[in-house]
Amino acid sequence: MREKAIEAKLVQTVKSMGGLAPKFTSPGFDGVPDRLVLLPGGKLAFIELKAPGKVLRPLQVRRKSQLESLGFSVYCIDGAEQIGGILDEIQSS
């Protein structure tokens, strides 16, 4: 499954939960995660999507650490089967 297909499934699943998954871009601040996940009840997380088996680049690892040190949840998804579990984790946090 390609990264775009995984991303589309994430967006659709979040929407079905009553949430939003807008594309996240930050000009001049490279390496940020691909999507914000905003769920009912004020639940928020950052999601980086990858093709199956691909890993975060070094800059992405640094951005993930920066965001986590500020108290935000950051996830990397490289398979559609991970979506449900991660969204459940975000929702229950």
Side-chain angles (χ1 to χ4, degrees), residues 29 31-33 46 56-75:
F29 195 63
V32 296
F46 294 89
L56 296 173
R57 297 186 321 267
L59 178 57
Q60 291 174 316
V61 171
R62 286 196 304 275
R63 293 292 181 237
K64 180 179 187 295
S65 295
Q66 284 179 316
L67 292 168
E68 289 172 336
S69 72
L70 293 170
F72 295 103
S73 296
V74 183
Y75 299 91

Side-chain angles (χ1 to χ4, degrees), residues 9-73:
K9 182 169 174 56
L10 172 70
V11 171
Q12 181 56 44
T13 304
V14 169
K15 185 177 178 181
S16 74
M17 296 172 71
L20 301 169
K23 188 84 169 156
F24 180 54
T25 58
S26 185
F29 195 63
D30 294 336
V32 296
D34 296 315
R35 295 272 172 177
L36 286 172
V37 169
L38 310 168
L39 295 176
K43 305 297 183 176
L44 173 137
F46 294 89
I47 306 285
E48 175 63 34
L49 294 134
K50 292 289 184 188
K54 298 293 181 181
V55 296
L56 296 173
R57 297 186 321 267
L59 178 57
Q60 291 174 316
V61 171
R62 286 196 304 275
R63 293 292 181 237
K64 180 179 187 295
S65 295
Q66 284 179 316
L67 292 168
E68 289 172 336
S69 72
L70 293 170
F72 295 103
S73 296

